Amino acid sequence: HYSRILFQSRCRLMNDPDFPDQPAPDLFDRVEPGARKESKRQILRSALACFDELGVDATPIDTIRERAGSSIGSIYHHFGNKDGLIAALYLAALDDQLAQMQPAMSAAATPKAAIEALVQTYLGWVTQQPELARFLFQVRHSVATGPRKDEMAERNKLRYQALLGWLKQG
């Protein structure tokens, strides 16, 4: 039943003539707002681009530093190390997904509509953020078993809290 909803939602997105032309808003401006965080956002953008081009394991921190135009000290100040940068990027993506999913699911009138809203917003996010979606898939295990695993678990709990509430009603 849920796979049919996923398929129908994907078809709706693919057939929406406005959808492909929508510019992808900058995720890092949404999750790290403010002028004082521009350096942090630039490091995140640069890290994502490097990870996408070279692979996570093959990307040295110095390549990220060079692309971001920042200092090693700035990277370590914001993220601690490469693993901290990976986790921060991962968690920023989860926060952005949640910010889009929650209003859509809250507006749903039925459990079916809530699931459809979840699927549609997730597919829309993946379509707008393909590099980040690939990154999430690649590093999920390392973040889930790393030092920020509790933070990841908490964010996932928040992501699916509304859906679980709907499913308990239905």
Side-chain angles (χ1 to χ4, degrees), residues 33-83:
R36 296 185 69 203
K37 293 191 178 180
E38 181 53 37
S39 171
K40 188 174 185 180
R41 289 192 301 267
Q42 185 57 34
I43 294 167
L44 289 167
R45 285 184 198 105
S46 298
L48 179 60
C50 290
F51 294 151
D52 195 50
E53 291 169 16
L54 305 171
V56 175
D57 292 335
T59 301
I61 200 88
D62 198 53
T63 301
I64 297 166
R65 179 207 55 79
E66 187 176 309
R67 187 173 195 139
S70 69
S71 68
I72 290 290
S74 182
I75 292 173
Y76 283 97
H77 167 74
H78 289 299
F79 306 105
N81 56 26
K82 183 178 170 183
D83 289 335

mmCIF file of all heavy atoms in Angstrom, residues 33-83:
data_model
loop_
_atom_site.group_PDB
_atom_site.id
_atom_site.type_symbol
_atom_site.label_atom_id
_atom_site.label_comp_id
_atom_site.label_asym_id
_atom_site.label_seq_id
_atom_site.Cartn_x
_atom_site.Cartn_y
_atom_site.Cartn_z
ATOM 1 N N PRO A 33 21.374 30.392 9.297
ATOM 2 C CA PRO A 33 21.110 31.765 8.845
ATOM 3 C C PRO A 33 21.989 32.800 9.543
ATOM 4 O O PRO A 33 22.539 32.547 10.616
ATOM 5 C CB PRO A 33 19.633 31.969 9.213
ATOM 6 C CG PRO A 33 19.413 31.059 10.377
ATOM 7 C CD PRO A 33 20.320 29.863 10.144
ATOM 8 N N GLY A 34 22.107 33.940 8.907
ATOM 9 C CA GLY A 34 22.809 35.067 9.509
ATOM 10 C C GLY A 34 24.154 35.339 8.874
ATOM 11 O O GLY A 34 24.855 34.432 8.444
ATOM 12 N N ALA A 35 24.498 36.614 8.832
ATOM 13 C CA ALA A 35 25.745 37.048 8.202
ATOM 14 C C ALA A 35 26.969 36.482 8.913
ATOM 15 O O ALA A 35 27.976 36.169 8.271
ATOM 16 C CB ALA A 35 25.810 38.572 8.185
ATOM 17 N N ARG A 36 26.901 36.310 10.221
ATOM 18 C CA ARG A 36 28.063 35.837 10.974
ATOM 19 C C ARG A 36 28.400 34.375 10.686
ATOM 20 O O ARG A 36 29.481 33.911 10.998
ATOM 21 C CB ARG A 36 27.824 36.025 12.471
ATOM 22 C CG ARG A 36 27.700 37.515 12.839
ATOM 23 C CD ARG A 36 27.589 37.714 14.311
ATOM 24 N NE ARG A 36 28.876 37.360 14.929
ATOM 25 C CZ ARG A 36 29.013 37.012 16.188
ATOM 26 N NH1 ARG A 36 27.967 36.958 16.974
ATOM 27 N NH2 ARG A 36 30.192 36.708 16.683
ATOM 28 N N LYS A 37 27.475 33.656 10.080
ATOM 29 C CA LYS A 37 27.710 32.235 9.811
ATOM 30 C C LYS A 37 28.102 31.969 8.362
ATOM 31 O O LYS A 37 28.141 30.825 7.930
ATOM 32 C CB LYS A 37 26.482 31.425 10.192
ATOM 33 C CG LYS A 37 26.232 31.438 11.692
ATOM 34 C CD LYS A 37 25.194 30.449 12.081
ATOM 35 C CE LYS A 37 24.999 30.464 13.600
ATOM 36 N NZ LYS A 37 24.010 29.523 14.024
ATOM 37 N N GLU A 38 28.416 33.013 7.608
ATOM 38 C CA GLU A 38 28.770 32.828 6.193
ATOM 39 C C GLU A 38 29.993 31.937 6.028
ATOM 40 O O GLU A 38 30.037 31.086 5.134
ATOM 41 C CB GLU A 38 28.984 34.164 5.486
ATOM 42 C CG GLU A 38 29.336 34.026 4.006
ATOM 43 C CD GLU A 38 28.357 33.174 3.200
ATOM 44 O OE1 GLU A 38 27.136 33.230 3.445
ATOM 45 O OE2 GLU A 38 28.825 32.432 2.312
ATOM 46 N N SER A 39 30.998 32.084 6.871
ATOM 47 C CA SER A 39 32.195 31.249 6.785
ATOM 48 C C SER A 39 31.837 29.775 6.982
ATOM 49 O O SER A 39 32.300 28.905 6.236
ATOM 50 C CB SER A 39 33.210 31.686 7.844
ATOM 51 O OG SER A 39 34.282 30.783 7.914
ATOM 52 N N LYS A 40 31.002 29.501 7.954
ATOM 53 C CA LYS A 40 30.567 28.127 8.220
ATOM 54 C C LYS A 40 29.786 27.575 7.033
ATOM 55 O O LYS A 40 30.007 26.428 6.619
ATOM 56 C CB LYS A 40 29.712 28.105 9.489
ATOM 57 C CG LYS A 40 29.365 26.731 9.978
ATOM 58 C CD LYS A 40 28.635 26.813 11.315
ATOM 59 C CE LYS A 40 28.373 25.443 11.885
ATOM 60 N NZ LYS A 40 27.679 25.519 13.180
ATOM 61 N N ARG A 41 28.884 28.378 6.479
ATOM 62 C CA ARG A 41 28.118 27.940 5.311
ATOM 63 C C ARG A 41 29.027 27.652 4.122
ATOM 64 O O ARG A 41 28.840 26.673 3.409
ATOM 65 C CB ARG A 41 27.068 28.983 4.930
ATOM 66 C CG ARG A 41 25.911 29.085 5.895
ATOM 67 C CD ARG A 41 24.768 29.912 5.340
ATOM 68 N NE ARG A 41 25.141 31.266 5.001
ATOM 69 C CZ ARG A 41 25.025 32.316 5.809
ATOM 70 N NH1 ARG A 41 24.543 32.157 7.035
ATOM 71 N NH2 ARG A 41 25.370 33.516 5.418
ATOM 72 N N GLN A 42 30.034 28.504 3.917
ATOM 73 C CA GLN A 42 30.948 28.304 2.797
ATOM 74 C C GLN A 42 31.749 27.010 2.967
ATOM 75 O O GLN A 42 31.979 26.297 1.997
ATOM 76 C CB GLN A 42 31.893 29.503 2.635
ATOM 77 C CG GLN A 42 32.792 29.407 1.422
ATOM 78 C CD GLN A 42 32.024 29.244 0.117
ATOM 79 O OE1 GLN A 42 30.937 29.768 -0.063
ATOM 80 N NE2 GLN A 42 32.599 28.493 -0.800
ATOM 81 N N ILE A 43 32.140 26.702 4.169
ATOM 82 C CA ILE A 43 32.858 25.448 4.420
ATOM 83 C C ILE A 43 31.936 24.258 4.145
ATOM 84 O O ILE A 43 32.349 23.278 3.506
ATOM 85 C CB ILE A 43 33.408 25.408 5.860
ATOM 86 C CG1 ILE A 43 34.492 26.489 6.036
ATOM 87 C CG2 ILE A 43 33.958 24.024 6.197
ATOM 88 C CD1 ILE A 43 34.873 26.755 7.487
ATOM 89 N N LEU A 44 30.692 24.329 4.592
ATOM 90 C CA LEU A 44 29.743 23.249 4.338
ATOM 91 C C LEU A 44 29.510 23.058 2.840
ATOM 92 O O LEU A 44 29.511 21.922 2.344
ATOM 93 C CB LEU A 44 28.418 23.525 5.056
ATOM 94 C CG LEU A 44 28.437 23.390 6.573
ATOM 95 C CD1 LEU A 44 27.179 23.990 7.183
ATOM 96 C CD2 LEU A 44 28.602 21.930 6.989
ATOM 97 N N ARG A 45 29.296 24.156 2.118
ATOM 98 C CA ARG A 45 29.094 24.073 0.659
ATOM 99 C C ARG A 45 30.308 23.445 -0.015
ATOM 100 O O ARG A 45 30.180 22.587 -0.892
ATOM 101 C CB ARG A 45 28.871 25.465 0.068
ATOM 102 C CG ARG A 45 27.534 26.069 0.325
ATOM 103 C CD ARG A 45 27.413 27.426 -0.401
ATOM 104 N NE ARG A 45 26.337 28.190 0.162
ATOM 105 C CZ ARG A 45 26.495 29.230 0.980
ATOM 106 N NH1 ARG A 45 27.691 29.673 1.305
ATOM 107 N NH2 ARG A 45 25.445 29.853 1.455
ATOM 108 N N SER A 46 31.483 23.903 0.376
ATOM 109 C CA SER A 46 32.721 23.408 -0.225
ATOM 110 C C SER A 46 32.939 21.937 0.093
ATOM 111 O O SER A 46 33.356 21.164 -0.774
ATOM 112 C CB SER A 46 33.907 24.233 0.258
ATOM 113 O OG SER A 46 33.753 25.583 -0.142
ATOM 114 N N ALA A 47 32.674 21.554 1.324
ATOM 115 C CA ALA A 47 32.833 20.153 1.715
ATOM 116 C C ALA A 47 31.898 19.268 0.897
ATOM 117 O O ALA A 47 32.318 18.224 0.381
ATOM 118 C CB ALA A 47 32.564 19.986 3.206
ATOM 119 N N LEU A 48 30.648 19.682 0.762
ATOM 120 C CA LEU A 48 29.698 18.893 -0.015
ATOM 121 C C LEU A 48 30.172 18.745 -1.458
ATOM 122 O O LEU A 48 30.135 17.646 -2.014
ATOM 123 C CB LEU A 48 28.300 19.525 0.030
ATOM 124 C CG LEU A 48 27.233 18.787 -0.769
ATOM 125 C CD1 LEU A 48 27.060 17.351 -0.268
ATOM 126 C CD2 LEU A 48 25.915 19.549 -0.703
ATOM 127 N N ALA A 49 30.634 19.825 -2.056
ATOM 128 C CA ALA A 49 31.114 19.763 -3.443
ATOM 129 C C ALA A 49 32.321 18.826 -3.557
ATOM 130 O O ALA A 49 32.393 18.002 -4.481
ATOM 131 C CB ALA A 49 31.473 21.159 -3.944
ATOM 132 N N CYS A 50 33.244 18.926 -2.627
ATOM 133 C CA CYS A 50 34.427 18.044 -2.644
ATOM 134 C C CYS A 50 34.026 16.585 -2.442
ATOM 135 O O CYS A 50 34.522 15.692 -3.151
ATOM 136 C CB CYS A 50 35.423 18.463 -1.572
ATOM 137 S SG CYS A 50 36.254 20.024 -1.900
ATOM 138 N N PHE A 51 33.156 16.329 -1.481
ATOM 139 C CA PHE A 51 32.719 14.962 -1.216
ATOM 140 C C PHE A 51 32.010 14.382 -2.438
ATOM 141 O O PHE A 51 32.175 13.207 -2.764
ATOM 142 C CB PHE A 51 31.803 14.895 0.001
ATOM 143 C CG PHE A 51 32.457 15.239 1.313
ATOM 144 C CD1 PHE A 51 31.717 15.798 2.340
ATOM 145 C CD2 PHE A 51 33.803 15.004 1.530
ATOM 146 C CE1 PHE A 51 32.295 16.104 3.557
ATOM 147 C CE2 PHE A 51 34.415 15.310 2.744
ATOM 148 C CZ PHE A 51 33.653 15.862 3.764
ATOM 149 N N ASP A 52 31.217 15.205 -3.109
ATOM 150 C CA ASP A 52 30.489 14.748 -4.288
ATOM 151 C C ASP A 52 31.441 14.453 -5.443
ATOM 152 O O ASP A 52 31.260 13.480 -6.165
ATOM 153 C CB ASP A 52 29.444 15.792 -4.698
ATOM 154 C CG ASP A 52 28.428 15.235 -5.677
ATOM 155 O OD1 ASP A 52 27.866 14.152 -5.407
ATOM 156 O OD2 ASP A 52 28.195 15.880 -6.715
ATOM 157 N N GLU A 53 32.446 15.283 -5.612
ATOM 158 C CA GLU A 53 33.385 15.113 -6.725
ATOM 159 C C GLU A 53 34.418 14.017 -6.475
ATOM 160 O O GLU A 53 34.740 13.240 -7.377
ATOM 161 C CB GLU A 53 34.120 16.428 -6.990
ATOM 162 C CG GLU A 53 33.240 17.501 -7.564
ATOM 163 C CD GLU A 53 33.911 18.878 -7.568
ATOM 164 O OE1 GLU A 53 35.149 18.952 -7.404
ATOM 165 O OE2 GLU A 53 33.190 19.875 -7.726
ATOM 166 N N LEU A 54 34.962 13.968 -5.261
ATOM 167 C CA LEU A 54 36.089 13.083 -4.979
ATOM 168 C C LEU A 54 35.730 11.853 -4.154
ATOM 169 O O LEU A 54 36.493 10.894 -4.117
ATOM 170 C CB LEU A 54 37.186 13.861 -4.222
ATOM 171 C CG LEU A 54 37.696 15.131 -4.875
ATOM 172 C CD1 LEU A 54 38.606 15.891 -3.932
ATOM 173 C CD2 LEU A 54 38.404 14.796 -6.184
ATOM 174 N N GLY A 55 34.619 11.918 -3.472
ATOM 175 C CA GLY A 55 34.252 10.873 -2.529
ATOM 176 C C GLY A 55 34.615 11.317 -1.125
ATOM 177 O O GLY A 55 35.569 12.080 -0.938
ATOM 178 N N VAL A 56 33.888 10.858 -0.152
ATOM 179 C CA VAL A 56 34.086 11.282 1.234
ATOM 180 C C VAL A 56 35.460 10.856 1.747
ATOM 181 O O VAL A 56 36.213 11.674 2.280
ATOM 182 C CB VAL A 56 32.961 10.742 2.142
ATOM 183 C CG1 VAL A 56 33.225 11.089 3.604
ATOM 184 C CG2 VAL A 56 31.607 11.298 1.709
ATOM 185 N N ASP A 57 35.788 9.589 1.569
ATOM 186 C CA ASP A 57 37.061 9.090 2.101
ATOM 187 C C ASP A 57 38.265 9.692 1.390
ATOM 188 O O ASP A 57 39.316 9.887 2.002
ATOM 189 C CB ASP A 57 37.120 7.564 2.002
ATOM 190 C CG ASP A 57 36.118 6.895 2.933
ATOM 191 O OD1 ASP A 57 35.743 7.515 3.954
ATOM 192 O OD2 ASP A 57 35.695 5.768 2.630
ATOM 193 N N ALA A 58 38.131 9.995 0.094
ATOM 194 C CA ALA A 58 39.263 10.493 -0.702
ATOM 195 C C ALA A 58 39.469 12.002 -0.582
ATOM 196 O O ALA A 58 40.430 12.533 -1.130
ATOM 197 C CB ALA A 58 39.069 10.118 -2.169
ATOM 198 N N THR A 59 38.597 12.690 0.124
ATOM 199 C CA THR A 59 38.702 14.147 0.239
ATOM 200 C C THR A 59 39.486 14.535 1.486
ATOM 201 O O THR A 59 39.005 14.345 2.606
ATOM 202 C CB THR A 59 37.302 14.798 0.306
ATOM 203 O OG1 THR A 59 36.576 14.461 -0.863
ATOM 204 C CG2 THR A 59 37.403 16.307 0.417
ATOM 205 N N PRO A 60 40.677 15.103 1.298
ATOM 206 C CA PRO A 60 41.415 15.583 2.475
ATOM 207 C C PRO A 60 40.863 16.935 2.946
ATOM 208 O O PRO A 60 40.308 17.704 2.163
ATOM 209 C CB PRO A 60 42.852 15.731 1.970
ATOM 210 C CG PRO A 60 42.759 15.808 0.489
ATOM 211 C CD PRO A 60 41.456 15.179 0.078
ATOM 212 N N ILE A 61 41.019 17.199 4.204
ATOM 213 C CA ILE A 61 40.527 18.450 4.788
ATOM 214 C C ILE A 61 41.165 19.657 4.108
ATOM 215 O O ILE A 61 40.528 20.701 3.958
ATOM 216 C CB ILE A 61 40.725 18.463 6.327
ATOM 217 C CG1 ILE A 61 39.809 19.481 6.995
ATOM 218 C CG2 ILE A 61 42.154 18.723 6.713
ATOM 219 C CD1 ILE A 61 38.484 18.952 7.347
ATOM 220 N N ASP A 62 42.405 19.527 3.639
ATOM 221 C CA ASP A 62 43.079 20.641 2.983
ATOM 222 C C ASP A 62 42.413 21.003 1.652
ATOM 223 O O ASP A 62 42.385 22.174 1.274
ATOM 224 C CB ASP A 62 44.565 20.341 2.774
ATOM 225 C CG ASP A 62 45.341 21.611 2.514
ATOM 226 O OD1 ASP A 62 45.227 22.552 3.332
ATOM 227 O OD2 ASP A 62 46.038 21.670 1.478
ATOM 228 N N THR A 63 41.850 20.024 0.966
ATOM 229 C CA THR A 63 41.128 20.296 -0.284
ATOM 230 C C THR A 63 39.867 21.115 0.012
ATOM 231 O O THR A 63 39.530 22.048 -0.725
ATOM 232 C CB THR A 63 40.775 18.975 -0.998
ATOM 233 O OG1 THR A 63 41.986 18.276 -1.271
ATOM 234 C CG2 THR A 63 40.014 19.224 -2.280
ATOM 235 N N ILE A 64 39.192 20.767 1.092
ATOM 236 C CA ILE A 64 38.005 21.529 1.510
ATOM 237 C C ILE A 64 38.411 22.951 1.888
ATOM 238 O O ILE A 64 37.769 23.915 1.488
ATOM 239 C CB ILE A 64 37.285 20.822 2.676
ATOM 240 C CG1 ILE A 64 36.778 19.448 2.234
ATOM 241 C CG2 ILE A 64 36.143 21.686 3.219
ATOM 242 C CD1 ILE A 64 36.347 18.539 3.373
ATOM 243 N N ARG A 65 39.487 23.073 2.654
ATOM 244 C CA ARG A 65 39.984 24.390 3.074
ATOM 245 C C ARG A 65 40.292 25.263 1.860
ATOM 246 O O ARG A 65 39.881 26.414 1.794
ATOM 247 C CB ARG A 65 41.252 24.229 3.920
ATOM 248 C CG ARG A 65 41.830 25.585 4.361
ATOM 249 C CD ARG A 65 43.315 25.544 4.611
ATOM 250 N NE ARG A 65 44.109 25.057 3.512
ATOM 251 C CZ ARG A 65 44.454 25.781 2.418
ATOM 252 N NH1 ARG A 65 44.034 27.016 2.267
ATOM 253 N NH2 ARG A 65 45.198 25.254 1.473
ATOM 254 N N GLU A 66 40.973 24.675 0.893
ATOM 255 C CA GLU A 66 41.347 25.437 -0.295
ATOM 256 C C GLU A 66 40.113 25.880 -1.079
ATOM 257 O O GLU A 66 40.005 27.034 -1.480
ATOM 258 C CB GLU A 66 42.247 24.569 -1.188
ATOM 259 C CG GLU A 66 42.828 25.299 -2.366
ATOM 260 C CD GLU A 66 43.771 24.404 -3.149
ATOM 261 O OE1 GLU A 66 44.674 23.797 -2.537
ATOM 262 O OE2 GLU A 66 43.588 24.304 -4.373
ATOM 263 N N ARG A 67 39.172 24.976 -1.260
ATOM 264 C CA ARG A 67 37.961 25.310 -2.015
ATOM 265 C C ARG A 67 37.123 26.362 -1.291
ATOM 266 O O ARG A 67 36.530 27.229 -1.916
ATOM 267 C CB ARG A 67 37.139 24.057 -2.270
ATOM 268 C CG ARG A 67 35.959 24.323 -3.181
ATOM 269 C CD ARG A 67 35.273 23.041 -3.537
ATOM 270 N NE ARG A 67 34.400 23.257 -4.667
ATOM 271 C CZ ARG A 67 34.271 22.417 -5.655
ATOM 272 N NH1 ARG A 67 34.961 21.305 -5.681
ATOM 273 N NH2 ARG A 67 33.432 22.673 -6.632
ATOM 274 N N ALA A 68 37.077 26.267 0.031
ATOM 275 C CA ALA A 68 36.279 27.210 0.831
ATOM 276 C C ALA A 68 36.964 28.562 0.971
ATOM 277 O O ALA A 68 36.317 29.551 1.326
ATOM 278 C CB ALA A 68 36.009 26.623 2.213
ATOM 279 N N GLY A 69 38.272 28.600 0.704
ATOM 280 C CA GLY A 69 39.003 29.843 0.902
ATOM 281 C C GLY A 69 39.092 30.207 2.368
ATOM 282 O O GLY A 69 39.079 31.385 2.733
ATOM 283 N N SER A 70 39.176 29.198 3.221
ATOM 284 C CA SER A 70 39.230 29.454 4.662
ATOM 285 C C SER A 70 40.511 28.851 5.232
ATOM 286 O O SER A 70 41.301 28.255 4.523
ATOM 287 C CB SER A 70 38.002 28.849 5.353
ATOM 288 O OG SER A 70 38.058 27.449 5.321
ATOM 289 N N SER A 71 40.671 28.994 6.508
ATOM 290 C CA SER A 71 41.851 28.441 7.170
ATOM 291 C C SER A 71 41.499 27.095 7.791
ATOM 292 O O SER A 71 40.327 26.800 8.065
ATOM 293 C CB SER A 71 42.335 29.396 8.259
ATOM 294 O OG SER A 71 41.388 29.448 9.307
ATOM 295 N N ILE A 72 42.521 26.303 8.020
ATOM 296 C CA ILE A 72 42.327 25.036 8.735
ATOM 297 C C ILE A 72 41.743 25.332 10.120
ATOM 298 O O ILE A 72 40.852 24.632 10.593
ATOM 299 C CB ILE A 72 43.659 24.256 8.855
ATOM 300 C CG1 ILE A 72 44.092 23.727 7.492
ATOM 301 C CG2 ILE A 72 43.572 23.125 9.873
ATOM 302 C CD1 ILE A 72 43.236 22.612 6.935
ATOM 303 N N GLY A 73 42.235 26.406 10.747
ATOM 304 C CA GLY A 73 41.739 26.786 12.067
ATOM 305 C C GLY A 73 40.246 27.056 12.069
ATOM 306 O O GLY A 73 39.545 26.697 13.015
ATOM 307 N N SER A 74 39.763 27.693 11.024
ATOM 308 C CA SER A 74 38.331 27.980 10.919
ATOM 309 C C SER A 74 37.523 26.691 10.815
ATOM 310 O O SER A 74 36.478 26.539 11.454
ATOM 311 C CB SER A 74 38.065 28.877 9.715
ATOM 312 O OG SER A 74 36.703 29.198 9.639
ATOM 313 N N ILE A 75 38.011 25.752 10.024
ATOM 314 C CA ILE A 75 37.314 24.467 9.879
ATOM 315 C C ILE A 75 37.281 23.741 11.224
ATOM 316 O O ILE A 75 36.232 23.269 11.666
ATOM 317 C CB ILE A 75 37.971 23.602 8.790
ATOM 318 C CG1 ILE A 75 37.749 24.256 7.416
ATOM 319 C CG2 ILE A 75 37.405 22.177 8.812
ATOM 320 C CD1 ILE A 75 38.496 23.600 6.270
ATOM 321 N N TYR A 76 38.429 23.699 11.896
ATOM 322 C CA TYR A 76 38.477 23.013 13.191
ATOM 323 C C TYR A 76 37.674 23.757 14.258
ATOM 324 O O TYR A 76 37.072 23.124 15.137
ATOM 325 C CB TYR A 76 39.925 22.775 13.627
ATOM 326 C CG TYR A 76 40.530 21.624 12.867
ATOM 327 C CD1 TYR A 76 41.313 21.840 11.740
ATOM 328 C CD2 TYR A 76 40.283 20.307 13.249
ATOM 329 C CE1 TYR A 76 41.847 20.777 11.022
ATOM 330 C CE2 TYR A 76 40.810 19.237 12.544
ATOM 331 C CZ TYR A 76 41.587 19.478 11.431
ATOM 332 O OH TYR A 76 42.100 18.424 10.721
ATOM 333 N N HIS A 77 37.618 25.077 14.174
ATOM 334 C CA HIS A 77 36.820 25.859 15.111
ATOM 335 C C HIS A 77 35.331 25.505 14.980
ATOM 336 O O HIS A 77 34.640 25.300 15.977
ATOM 337 C CB HIS A 77 37.024 27.357 14.871
ATOM 338 C CG HIS A 77 36.027 28.219 15.579
ATOM 339 N ND1 HIS A 77 36.070 28.434 16.938
ATOM 340 C CD2 HIS A 77 34.940 28.894 15.117
ATOM 341 C CE1 HIS A 77 35.049 29.212 17.283
ATOM 342 N NE2 HIS A 77 34.351 29.493 16.200
ATOM 343 N N HIS A 78 34.855 25.452 13.742
ATOM 344 C CA HIS A 78 33.429 25.189 13.511
ATOM 345 C C HIS A 78 33.051 23.721 13.690
ATOM 346 O O HIS A 78 31.946 23.423 14.155
ATOM 347 C CB HIS A 78 33.021 25.632 12.109
ATOM 348 C CG HIS A 78 32.981 27.110 11.917
ATOM 349 N ND1 HIS A 78 32.160 27.936 12.632
ATOM 350 C CD2 HIS A 78 33.683 27.909 11.076
ATOM 351 C CE1 HIS A 78 32.341 29.187 12.245
ATOM 352 N NE2 HIS A 78 33.259 29.197 11.302
ATOM 353 N N PHE A 79 33.948 22.799 13.301
ATOM 354 C CA PHE A 79 33.550 21.399 13.188
ATOM 355 C C PHE A 79 34.405 20.403 13.966
ATOM 356 O O PHE A 79 34.031 19.240 14.069
ATOM 357 C CB PHE A 79 33.521 20.997 11.705
ATOM 358 C CG PHE A 79 32.670 21.911 10.883
ATOM 359 C CD1 PHE A 79 33.249 22.849 10.041
ATOM 360 C CD2 PHE A 79 31.285 21.864 10.966
ATOM 361 C CE1 PHE A 79 32.466 23.711 9.287
ATOM 362 C CE2 PHE A 79 30.495 22.720 10.221
ATOM 363 C CZ PHE A 79 31.084 23.652 9.376
ATOM 364 N N GLY A 80 35.534 20.822 14.475
ATOM 365 C CA GLY A 80 36.390 19.919 15.241
ATOM 366 C C GLY A 80 37.363 19.136 14.388
ATOM 367 O O GLY A 80 38.556 19.183 14.612
ATOM 368 N N ASN A 81 36.858 18.414 13.404
ATOM 369 C CA ASN A 81 37.686 17.628 12.499
ATOM 370 C C ASN A 81 36.824 17.226 11.294
ATOM 371 O O ASN A 81 35.660 17.646 11.192
ATOM 372 C CB ASN A 81 38.278 16.403 13.204
ATOM 373 C CG ASN A 81 37.220 15.514 13.824
ATOM 374 O OD1 ASN A 81 36.070 15.484 13.391
ATOM 375 N ND2 ASN A 81 37.594 14.778 14.853
ATOM 376 N N LYS A 82 37.370 16.407 10.425
ATOM 377 C CA LYS A 82 36.630 16.005 9.231
ATOM 378 C C LYS A 82 35.357 15.235 9.599
ATOM 379 O O LYS A 82 34.302 15.453 9.002
ATOM 380 C CB LYS A 82 37.520 15.162 8.313
ATOM 381 C CG LYS A 82 36.845 14.757 7.013
ATOM 382 C CD LYS A 82 37.796 13.970 6.132
ATOM 383 C CE LYS A 82 37.093 13.342 4.952
ATOM 384 N NZ LYS A 82 38.008 12.519 4.148
ATOM 385 N N ASP A 83 35.442 14.362 10.601
ATOM 386 C CA ASP A 83 34.248 13.625 11.022
ATOM 387 C C ASP A 83 33.176 14.565 11.561
ATOM 388 O O ASP A 83 31.979 14.359 11.333
ATOM 389 C CB ASP A 83 34.604 12.577 12.080
ATOM 390 C CG ASP A 83 35.406 11.416 11.496
ATOM 391 O OD1 ASP A 83 35.285 11.153 10.284
ATOM 392 O OD2 ASP A 83 36.151 10.782 12.260
#
